């Protein structure tokens, strides 16, 4: 059973852009928090070529109804032409933590 909360998986080219965009998402109350994990190796196809890059992975926690706004804000601020923004259902978790996500993403 899904909750009304989502974890949004994001990637960035470097820690500075991850922190800058993550801070904006928290400041705008679009996400309750963002965990930034440097050191990812990404292999992907872009314009017909296989690319290999170091990236930074992040997970942001938010309410389901805010995912479209999170995606819009990331696109506004992100240096990539097509940023990775993927919402994952949160099927359960600690009730107090989940309530905190809801509280921190209220305008």
């Amino acid at each position: 059973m899904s909750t009304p909360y989502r974890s949004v998986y994001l990637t960035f080219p470097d820690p500075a852009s991850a922190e800058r965009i993550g801070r904006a998402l928290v400041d705008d109350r679009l996400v309750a928090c963002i965990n930034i994990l440097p050191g990812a190796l990404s292999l992907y196809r872009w314009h017909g070529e296989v690319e290999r890059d170091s990236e930074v992975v992040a997970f942001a926690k938010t309410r389901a109804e805010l995912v479209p706004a999170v995606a819009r804000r990331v696109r506004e601020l992100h240096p990539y032409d097509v940023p990775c923004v993927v919402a994952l259902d949160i099927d359960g978790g600690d009730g107090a933590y989940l309530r905190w996500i809801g509280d921190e993403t209220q305008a």
Side-chain angles (χ1 to χ4, degrees):
M1 168 161 324
S2 184
T3 69
Y5 305 105
R6 300 293 180 267
S7 181
V8 182
Y9 173 77
L10 306 159
T11 61
F12 300 93
D14 54 67
S17 63
E19 186 169 349
R20 176 179 56 82
I21 294 169
R23 179 62 185 242
L25 295 172
V26 172
D27 284 347
D28 294 347
R29 298 185 74 95
L30 292 173
V31 304
C33 71
I34 185 166
N35 305 111
I36 299 171
L37 310 165
L41 174 63
S42 294
L43 300 170
Y44 56 95
R45 187 173 304 278
W46 185 248
H47 296 293
E49 299 292 325
V50 175
E51 303 288 337
R52 179 187 189 276
D53 282 311
S54 293
E55 288 191 299
V56 174
V57 169
F59 290 93
K61 274 66 84 190
T62 191
R63 290 181 286 123
E65 67 260 21
L66 291 176
V67 170
V70 170
R72 275 192 305 276
R73 189 71 171 126
V74 169
R75 279 193 310 274
E76 289 172 2
L77 300 173
H78 207 288
Y80 288 168
D81 292 337
V82 182
C84 172
V85 181
V86 177
L88 308 169
D89 286 349
I90 296 176
D91 287 335
D94 179 71
Y97 183 79
L98 297 176
R99 282 188 298 281
W100 174 80
I101 293 171
D103 292 346
E104 292 304 315
T105 55
Q106 298 292 327

